[in-house]
Amino acid sequence: MHGTEAPSAWVRRWAHLVPAGGSVLDVACGHGRHLRWFAACGHPVTGVDRSPEAIAAVAGVGRTVQADIEQGPWPFEGESFGAVVVTNYLWRPLLPTLLDSVSEGGVLIYETFASGNESVGKPSRPDFLLQSGELLDVCRDLRVVAFEDGFCDRPERFVQRIAAVRKRPAHPGSPPRYPLDPTG
């Protein structure tokens, strides 16, 4: 059943960068695997998707908004979030808006298909595949904590993923610390 799948390992790995109690925006949330997981972790959550079926499936999990974010206005104008989470979705014109939606001290956790995926399956159109290093370029004004661009074999796919933090002012003599391993 959609929405009951485990959250992405990438999202789970970098979720500790979300400020304690920080709100999470799940973009193109689908049936809510990340929305449900962050809500269970105690974060206020907002999900947006254009599908009425997807929004109906996540009703009651948190704040949900049905909107066509590709053709319509951005439904969160003036809002910012402790985390913006995007998986398996790419609409390049929206990238600057997504970055602007990350609050000071917040994190962008993004994972989607990359160039090369056309050799193993769908999506295969260049419009839906990130080019080499594209997320690094998009996030150049954020602090990149982690980045990967390569091939995964279960299931076979080419992916690009990033965890990037909007810096908050550092205390003199104490730069911000972004743990790479929250357990160690």
Side-chain angles (χ1 to χ4, degrees):
M1 176 180 188
H2 288 298
T4 60
E5 303 92 345
S8 153
W10 184 258
V11 171
R12 288 191 325 265
R13 179 175 177 192
W14 298 109
H16 69 277
L17 296 175
V18 181
S23 60
V24 175
L25 173 63
D26 187 355
V27 176
C29 66
H31 286 84
R33 65 182 174 141
H34 297 113
L35 202 67
R36 294 173 200 283
W37 188 77
F38 277 107
C41 292
H43 292 279
V45 294
T46 299
V48 62
D49 202 286
R50 71 178 178 186
S51 164
E53 294 81 14
I55 293 302
V58 295
V61 176
R63 176 178 165 208
T64 56
V65 177
Q66 181 187 345
D68 184 344
I69 56 177
E70 295 176 10
Q71 302 302 319
W74 180 241
F76 309 108
E77 191 65 38
E79 293 185 55
S80 62
F81 300 87
V84 174
V85 176
V86 187
T87 60
N88 302 331
Y89 176 78
L90 177 62
W91 180 250
R92 285 179 178 88
L94 191 60
L95 290 170
T97 301
L98 295 176
L99 294 178
D100 288 345
S101 297
V102 177
S103 64
E104 187 176 276
V107 62
L108 172 70
I109 303 174
Y110 204 123
E111 174 181 36
T112 198
F113 299 97
S115 181
N117 203 68
E118 69 280 1
S119 69
V120 295
K122 301 273 184 200
S124 58
R125 287 186 29 208
D127 290 353
F128 302 125
L129 303 175
L130 289 164
Q131 296 304 304
S132 179
E134 188 172 350
L135 282 177
L136 280 175
D137 185 49
V138 166
C139 293
R140 66 186 165 277
D141 293 332
L142 301 181
R143 168 68 188 267
V144 174
V145 177
F147 174 77
E148 293 181 349
D149 188 355
F151 180 75
C152 299
D153 61 1
R154 280 179 247 131
E156 285 192 343
R157 67 204 185 283
F158 286 81
V159 298
Q160 196 171 129
R161 40 199 179 198
I162 199 162
V165 176
R166 180 170 306 288
K167 298 177 190 173
R168 57 183 170 264
H171 295 97
S174 178
R177 296 180 182 189
Y178 305 108
L180 299 179
D181 179 1
T183 62

